[in-house]
Amino acid sequence: MTENGVMSRAKVLTIDTMNPTVKKVEYAVRGPIVQRAVELERELSEGMKKPFAEVIRANIGDAHAMGQQPITFFRQVLALCSYPELLSDNTFPEDAKSRACRILQSCGGNSLGAYSASQGIDSVRHDVARYIERRDGGVPCDPDDIYLTTGASDGIVTMLKLLVCGEGAGRTGVMISIPQYPLYSAALAELGAVQINYYLNEEKCWSLDISELQRALDEARRYCNPRALCIINPGNPTGQVQSRECIEDVIRFAAKERLFLMADEVYQDNVYADGCQFHSFKKVLFEMGPEYSETVELASFHSTSKCYMGECGFRGGYMEIINMDEEVKAQLTKLLSVRLCPPVPGQALMDLVVNPPRPGEPSYDSFIKERTATLSALAEKAKLTEQVLNTVQGISCNPVQGAMYSFPRITIPDKAINEATDQGQLPDMFYCMKMLEETGICLVPGSGFGQKDGTYHFRMTILPPRDKLKILLNKVKEFHQKFTQQYS
Amino acid sequence: MTENGVMSRAKVLTIDTMNPTVKKVEYAVRGPIVQRAVELERELSEGMKKPFAEVIRANIGDAHAMGQQPITFFRQVLALCSYPELLSDNTFPEDAKSRACRILQSCGGNSLGAYSASQGIDSVRHDVARYIERRDGGVPCDPDDIYLTTGASDGIVTMLKLLVCGEGAGRTGVMISIPQYPLYSAALAELGAVQINYYLNEEKCWSLDISELQRALDEARRYCNPRALCIINPGNPTGQVQSRECIEDVIRFAAKERLFLMADEVYQDNVYADGCQFHSFKKVLFEMGPEYSETVELASFHSTSKCYMGECGFRGGYMEIINMDEEVKAQLTKLLSVRLCPPVPGQALMDLVVNPPRPGEPSYDSFIKERTATLSALAEKAKLTEQVLNTVQGISCNPVQGAMYSFPRITIPDKAINEATDQGQLPDMFYCMKMLEETGICLVPGSGFGQKDGTYHFRMTILPPRDKLKILLNKVKEFHQKFTQQYS
Ligand SMILES: Cc1ncc(COP(=O)(O)O)c(C=O)c1O
Ligand SMILES: Cc1ncc(COP(=O)(O)O)c(C=O)c1O
């Protein structure tokens, strides 16, 4: 070994010597197309000429970034918690003050600045449990089963982490829907687990067929040990809302096949279509009787980031875990304690989401008004998106029953497919990149979420304000027509 | 395979089928002793009789929980950011308002509720870079090297994650000090990396000897691939502040041995002892000239949780990474994007920490007054702790030069060691558990941090308010005397 100089010039950490599982991770929602959008924004701001005046981002479910307003009551309470001197300010409503006091009393030193218990603040977990009981028509919920998290992302990754074990054909396999939210594939890649794809049925409005679950499972059993089944309902990126029957079937399937169920229900308030309703896995499970409710292991996830509040930046969330082995629960608590605790302002916000103003309280009316306005605007935009996109030849789009996204199927001409392939690009990435360069609209190619071979899609959020959404939809229409012409 | 019922009663996820690396994780700061403290608090509140009136927690560096007050300016800005309607409130100082506006302008939709860029808000990263330049006497800092994190914990785990690869004797080894902050051992266990212990020199005030680094490294090379060296300065749990010479030696060692340096500098403002000063690894590295500054890979970590602000609950932090391979950096950014972003209120708080009121601004004087008061109270308590503990026969304690902890060595009589062993407990756990039951004082046994075989310690924070700290120290004294008598 020689002295410094030359020796140390070779990096310790290189692409060849870094963690190989990290290298396998992919995350399209913030991938190359978004990086290019950021560049384009900078170029625009530096005065560079483009065929568009602004970049419109429809790539990520980030409501406030698209102009959605926060719920006044929530922010009042957060301000009071941050700076309790405001408690003597008479402009704040009494219910905001009493909520803030209650939260602060549950914090160490009455401060948001203290670490909380690793599982989350006690009183918040109690409020979450009461919320779940109300939501699920009285099905009981134990606060000990509630874990507050750093956004739903954190809960999902933590649960997957617990589940991974084995080697070779004994390696843990996890079933995820295709199309999926790419957090799942990314976490599975990082953890070295086996991703088992089951395909949603685009022809039947992205519904879930048990026969497809069975097919995927049976195939996977040949090369791994399938142990968990993940469902996103309402769906991202596909916007479907599962029926009650479907959920029952899934639970029966999980029980029969001994799969740990993971229900991602972060869009539980985002249901727009007539005849659709949100059914929590927890509720359905309990209504199926003790044969299921006392045996099927279920983790369900919620977040402050979506629904009517859209408070992504606070990274609030919770998971409810039922029928989990007690020893494993102790291991989970230990694992969480290493990171100390989820962000306390996010926990406070989660508390407000599950314990909003009640009838008779001073902020009740304005809360209901704000919430309704946001949800009806979303419902309207869901409809509008579906309608406009379906007028375009070569685009076909299922109804956006819930969540915040449309995932239309697009026809890409062979000539374009060939050109993309020549450039080493996936055809839908080629399409979306071209759309971005020509129109300033930032969408995510379907390949980032997974799609049946030979089909192409993009995902767009319905979050831009109505007028901007109209512009966006028209630009997509024009672009698609031009693109189709150009490559025919 | 039979139908449901019987079959599904066996859990999918059990202690035997869960992730084995998670099982290996340990985290003493929130271990059994803290769980017992929580129980005792509940028992007290239910009126159960105990030999003490309250539990005093000196187990965790959680300043606000121990009554430390937040910096008024920081909380004003956070309230303004949470509820921008307050910007028209004349009771808020102008500098708080302008800081809040600046932060909000950098947020999507001018809201803390939008996801930020995964690397963190641009303007905050710029402010961090300028802070580092000021702190380090003008050594340049590139905002592109700054990554905002969910507390320092998140940054540390993420960096370790990148570094882990290989199998068997090629497995990544990471050098950590013993005693250590148990986040390191926990993360290494979870990642399946090899923990390489180097011992701090208790006789020389917990200083770091290069010969000991060399010993540990040479031994480890026989069974793993040592790739990184972690240093905590000022030290947790040991409270030492490394000298400039020592840091130079460590850097030379890392360069010679090709180790990635990780400098945990979350206590950078917590320096109390005369003649001690904080030197950042970054600054020393740059002052050693291009041979080092252009080659040695360094990640350094900071947090909102410690120093004079003690804002643990917000989970704010940053890491600065220099000389990292560009491809690896891209992989890091991708990895971070899966979790979307660190909590935005924590990012805002980090911004305030690195960009506090400046001379001439309306909040400057009160900021300085509050900060000075907190830091001098800590300095006084550091001195007090050392003094009182050193009056006890059988306890010997190095000066608390910095950070927030004392890690005194305790003599445990053989009879007590035997009784502990009979009960299947480590002797220092036995000691601390007995202290908790008899006095209500919650400390962490030295074994949770690592210590030389045959030596025993406990860690206590210096955070309780002065009067309570005095009570605590006297109780420790009495307990130790009684314990020693009982087992002699
Ligand atoms: C289906 C689904 N699950 C989880 C998340 C993670 O959200 P967060 O971590 O912000 O709670 C998202 C975010 O878009 C999502 O769409
Ligand atoms: C040395 C050290 N590093 C890192 C941390 C993590 O702190 P946080 O994640 O709250 O920033 C702590 C907390 O006590 C610590 O003592």
Side-chain angles (χ1 to χ4, degrees):
Chain A
M1 193 155 298
T2 74
E3 270 300 277
N4 327 344
V6 182
M7 269 310 282
S8 49
R9 222 159 280 144
K11 302 264 184 217
V12 176
L13 185 59
T14 66
I15 195 84
D16 297 322
T17 63
M18 68 173 281
N19 190 333
T21 65
V22 171
K23 260 189 283 187
K24 290 197 199 113
V25 167
E26 287 182 22
Y27 192 72
V29 178
R30 296 200 156 186
I33 203 133
V34 184
Q35 282 157 27
R36 180 65 188 138
V38 172
E39 269 174 36
L40 284 171
E41 274 172 351
R42 198 185 28 238
E43 289 173 13
L44 276 176
S45 76
E46 287 164 359
M48 217 180 273
K49 266 221 165 136
K50 300 280 162 196
F52 46 87
E54 62 167 336
V55 172
I56 305 183
R57 296 201 190 200
N59 61 296
I60 185 167
D62 191 359
H64 291 201
M66 297 315 294
Q68 186 181 305
Q69 291 306 301
I71 298 287
T72 304
F73 179 79
F74 292 178
R75 295 309 196 90
Q76 286 173 328
V77 178
L78 287 169
L80 289 162
C81 288
S82 302
Y83 186 51
E85 279 75 1
L86 290 171
L87 287 165
S88 56
D89 182 329
N90 290 324
T91 58
F92 283 87
E94 284 308 315
D95 49 353
K97 289 186 187 175
S98 66
R99 268 323 178 286
C101 288
R102 184 153 178 284
I103 292 169
L104 289 176
Q105 274 157 18
S106 325
C107 293
N110 300 329
S111 169
L112 290 188
Y115 290 124
S116 75
S118 302
Q119 196 174 346
I121 297 172
D122 269 3
S123 71
V124 178
R125 292 192 293 108
H126 276 82
D127 288 348
V128 168
R130 283 200 297 257
Y131 160 82
I132 292 176
E133 288 180 349
R134 283 197 312 277
R135 183 196 69 186
D136 291 346
V139 170
C141 176
D142 183 345
D144 281 349
D145 294 339
I146 305 299
Y147 295 78
L148 297 175
T149 56
T150 306
S153 305
D154 171 44
I156 294 165
V157 173
T158 302
M159 267 314 307
L160 291 173
K161 190 182 284 174
L162 287 181
L163 279 158
V164 176
C165 74
E167 287 302 327
R171 194 91 192 127
T172 292
V174 176
M175 304 185 73
I176 64 171
S177 59
I178 297 295
Q180 55 126 5
Y181 174 60
L183 168 67
Y184 290 89
S185 52
L188 293 175
E190 195 191 315
L191 292 165
V194 179
Q195 173 180 329
I196 306 171
N197 296 337
Y198 65 90
Y199 289 85
L200 298 175
N201 190 338
E202 181 164 17
E203 280 65 43
K204 290 203 273 177
C205 209
W206 297 116
S207 61
L208 196 165
D209 297 338
I210 298 298
S211 60
E212 167 60 9
L213 285 182
Q214 193 72 58
R215 176 207 62 77
L217 184 73
D218 291 346
E219 280 180 23
R221 284 232 159 95
R222 285 190 232 130
Y223 56 86
C224 71
N225 177 17
R227 301 184 68 204
L229 167 55
C230 301
I231 278 121
I232 307 175
N233 177 49
N236 175 9
T238 38
Q240 83 286 13
V241 177
Q242 304 291 5
S243 70
R244 205 199 132 93
E245 296 68 57
C246 171
I247 293 172
E248 276 187 29
D249 290 345
V250 169
I251 291 172
R252 245 177 249 116
F253 179 81
K256 172 166 81 82
E257 301 292 352
R258 304 199 60 240
L259 297 168
F260 193 110
L261 268 177
M262 291 180 51
D264 183 335
E265 302 178 327
V266 301
Y267 297 101
Q268 55 191 265
D269 293 331
N270 296 107
V271 176
Y272 317 118
D274 289 341
C276 283
Q277 201 189 322
F278 170 72
H279 303 279
S280 79
F281 268 77
K282 164 85 179 297
K283 178 168 194 247
V284 176
L285 182 63
F286 271 69
E287 290 173 352
M288 287 168 73
E291 185 184 346
Y292 296 96
S293 67
E294 290 173 9
T295 62
V296 175
E297 293 149 83
L298 169 70
S300 55
F301 305 92
H302 196 13
S303 165
T304 57
S305 299
K306 313 293 164 180
C307 298
Y308 61 90
M309 52 280 179
E311 294 275 14
C312 309
F314 281 81
R315 314 306 292 119
Y318 74 75
M319 52 185 178
E320 180 186 17
I321 304 187
I322 56 178
N323 292 322
M324 187 187 252
D325 178 87
E326 284 303 321
E327 282 180 294
V328 177
K329 251 178 130 169
Q331 294 286 326
L332 169 60
T333 305
K334 178 194 70 180
L335 181 63
L336 294 175
S337 74
V338 176
R339 298 290 191 108
L340 298 167
C341 70
V344 175
Q347 295 187 49
L349 190 51
M350 195 75 244
D351 190 53
L352 300 169
V353 169
V354 296
N355 187 19
R358 286 178 288 250
E361 289 186 328
S363 305
Y364 181 73
D365 290 343
S366 73
F367 167 70
I368 294 293
K369 212 173 124 195
E370 291 176 12
R371 186 180 67 177
T372 311
T374 300
L375 288 176
S376 20
L378 286 170
E380 197 196 329
K381 293 189 279 189
K383 195 111 214 138
L384 180 73
T385 302
E386 177 201 346
Q387 280 170 349
V388 176
L389 290 179
N390 277 329
T391 63
V392 189
Q393 208 177 351
I395 298 188
S396 85
C397 166
N398 273 317
V400 182
Q401 299 173 330
M404 302 176 164
Y405 316 94
S406 169
F407 195 71
R409 180 141 166 196
I410 50 179
T411 308
I412 300 185
D414 285 344
K415 237 172 107 184
I417 295 178
N418 294 337
E419 188 168 325
T421 314
D422 287 349
Q423 297 182 14
Q425 253 184 351
L426 291 172
D428 53 0
M429 175 61 93
F430 176 80
Y431 176 96
C432 288
M433 203 55 113
K434 233 176 146 55
M435 168 136 43
L436 175 63
E437 297 288 349
E438 290 181 18
T439 67
I441 292 172
C442 180
L443 308 176
V444 190
S447 48
F449 306 90
Q451 53 199 353
K452 276 217 164 127
D453 277 352
T455 70
Y456 302 107
H457 301 78
F458 59 74
R459 188 189 78 165
M460 63 167 279
T461 75
I462 58 167
L463 292 173
R466 223 180 111 233
D467 293 343
K468 203 169 266 187
L469 182 64
K470 281 193 176 158
I471 298 174
L472 184 155
L473 289 166
N474 282 327
K475 285 191 173 193
V476 169
K477 186 173 182 162
E478 274 170 38
F479 170 80
H480 188 85
Q481 287 163 344
K482 220 179 103 197
F483 181 89
T484 307
Q485 233 164 17
Q486 185 181 350
Y487 289 100
S488 291
Chain B
M1 193 156 299
T2 74
E3 270 298 277
N4 326 343
V6 181
M7 268 312 280
S8 49
R9 223 158 283 142
K11 304 263 183 218
V12 176
L13 185 58
T14 65
I15 195 85
D16 297 323
T17 63
M18 67 174 281
N19 190 333
T21 64
V22 170
K23 261 189 283 186
K24 290 199 198 111
V25 167
E26 287 180 24
Y27 192 71
V29 178
R30 295 200 157 188
I33 203 132
V34 185
Q35 282 158 25
R36 181 62 190 142
V38 172
E39 270 174 36
L40 284 172
E41 274 172 350
R42 200 186 25 238
E43 291 173 11
L44 275 176
S45 77
E46 287 165 358
M48 216 181 275
K49 267 222 165 132
K50 298 281 164 196
F52 47 86
E54 64 167 337
V55 171
I56 305 182
R57 295 200 190 201
N59 61 296
I60 185 169
D62 190 0
H64 290 200
M66 296 314 296
Q68 185 180 306
Q69 292 305 302
I71 297 287
T72 305
F73 179 79
F74 292 178
R75 295 309 197 89
Q76 287 173 329
V77 178
L78 287 169
L80 289 161
C81 288
S82 302
Y83 187 51
E85 279 73 0
L86 290 171
L87 285 165
S88 56
D89 181 330
N90 290 325
T91 58
F92 283 87
E94 283 310 315
D95 49 354
K97 290 187 187 175
S98 66
R99 267 325 176 286
C101 288
R102 185 154 176 282
I103 291 169
L104 289 175
Q105 274 157 19
S106 326
C107 291
N110 300 332
S111 170
L112 291 188
Y115 290 123
S116 75
S118 302
Q119 196 174 346
I121 298 171
D122 269 2
S123 72
V124 179
R125 292 192 292 107
H126 276 83
D127 288 348
V128 168
R130 282 199 298 257
Y131 159 80
I132 292 175
E133 289 179 348
R134 282 197 312 276
R135 183 196 68 186
D136 292 345
V139 171
C141 175
D142 183 344
D144 281 349
D145 294 339
I146 304 298
Y147 295 79
L148 296 176
T149 57
T150 306
S153 305
D154 172 44
I156 294 166
V157 174
T158 303
M159 268 312 308
L160 290 173
K161 191 182 283 173
L162 287 180
L163 279 158
V164 176
C165 74
E167 287 302 327
R171 194 89 192 130
T172 291
V174 176
M175 303 184 74
I176 64 172
S177 60
I178 299 292
Q180 55 125 4
Y181 175 60
L183 167 67
Y184 290 88
S185 51
L188 293 175
E190 194 190 316
L191 293 165
V194 179
Q195 172 181 329
I196 306 171
N197 296 337
Y198 66 88
Y199 289 85
L200 299 175
N201 190 339
E202 182 164 15
E203 280 64 44
K204 288 202 274 176
C205 209
W206 297 116
S207 61
L208 197 166
D209 297 338
I210 298 300
S211 60
E212 167 59 11
L213 285 181
Q214 192 73 58
R215 176 206 63 76
L217 184 72
D218 291 347
E219 280 180 25
R221 284 229 159 97
R222 286 191 229 130
Y223 56 86
C224 72
N225 178 15
R227 302 182 70 206
L229 167 55
C230 302
I231 278 123
I232 308 175
N233 178 48
N236 175 7
T238 36
Q240 83 286 14
V241 177
Q242 305 291 3
S243 70
R244 205 199 133 93
E245 295 71 55
C246 171
I247 294 172
E248 277 188 28
D249 289 346
V250 169
I251 291 172
R252 246 177 246 116
F253 179 81
K256 173 168 81 82
E257 302 291 351
R258 304 199 60 241
L259 298 169
F260 194 109
L261 267 178
M262 292 180 50
D264 182 333
E265 301 178 326
V266 300
Y267 297 100
Q268 56 191 262
D269 293 330
N270 297 108
V271 176
Y272 317 118
D274 288 342
C276 284
Q277 201 189 322
F278 171 72
H279 303 277
S280 78
F281 268 78
K282 165 85 179 300
K283 177 168 194 244
V284 177
L285 183 63
F286 272 69
E287 291 174 350
M288 287 167 71
E291 183 185 345
Y292 296 96
S293 67
E294 290 174 9
T295 62
V296 175
E297 293 150 82
L298 169 70
S300 55
F301 305 92
H302 197 12
S303 165
T304 58
S305 300
K306 313 294 164 180
C307 298
Y308 61 90
M309 51 282 181
E311 295 276 14
C312 309
F314 280 81
R315 315 304 292 121
Y318 73 75
M319 52 186 177
E320 180 184 19
I321 304 187
I322 56 177
N323 291 322
M324 187 186 251
D325 178 88
E326 283 304 321
E327 282 179 294
V328 177
K329 249 177 132 168
Q331 292 286 327
L332 169 60
T333 305
K334 178 194 71 179
L335 181 64
L336 295 175
S337 75
V338 176
R339 298 288 190 108
L340 299 166
C341 70
V344 176
Q347 296 187 48
L349 190 51
M350 195 77 244
D351 190 53
L352 300 169
V353 169
V354 297
N355 187 18
R358 285 179 288 251
E361 289 186 327
S363 304
Y364 181 72
D365 291 343
S366 73
F367 166 71
I368 294 292
K369 211 173 123 196
E370 291 176 10
R371 185 178 69 176
T372 310
T374 299
L375 288 175
S376 17
L378 286 171
E380 198 196 328
K381 293 190 277 189
K383 195 111 213 138
L384 180 73
T385 302
E386 177 202 346
Q387 279 170 350
V388 177
L389 290 178
N390 278 328
T391 64
V392 189
Q393 209 178 349
I395 298 187
S396 84
C397 164
N398 273 318
V400 182
Q401 298 174 330
M404 301 175 164
Y405 314 95
S406 170
F407 196 70
R409 181 145 167 196
I410 50 177
T411 308
I412 299 186
D414 285 345
K415 236 171 108 184
I417 296 179
N418 293 338
E419 188 169 323
T421 315
D422 287 349
Q423 297 182 14
Q425 252 185 352
L426 292 172
D428 54 0
M429 175 61 93
F430 177 78
Y431 176 96
C432 288
M433 204 53 113
K434 232 173 148 56
M435 170 140 38
L436 176 63
E437 296 289 351
E438 291 180 17
T439 66
I441 292 172
C442 180
L443 308 176
V444 189
S447 48
F449 306 90
Q451 54 200 355
K452 275 215 165 128
D453 276 352
T455 70
Y456 302 107
H457 303 77
F458 60 74
R459 188 189 80 166
M460 61 166 280
T461 73
I462 58 166
L463 291 174
R466 225 183 109 230
D467 293 343
K468 203 170 265 186
L469 182 64
K470 279 192 179 161
I471 297 174
L472 186 155
L473 289 167
N474 282 326
K475 285 192 174 192
V476 169
K477 185 173 181 163
E478 273 169 38
F479 170 81
H480 188 84
Q481 286 163 344
K482 218 179 105 197
F483 182 89
T484 307
Q485 231 165 17
Q486 186 182 348
Y487 289 100
S488 292

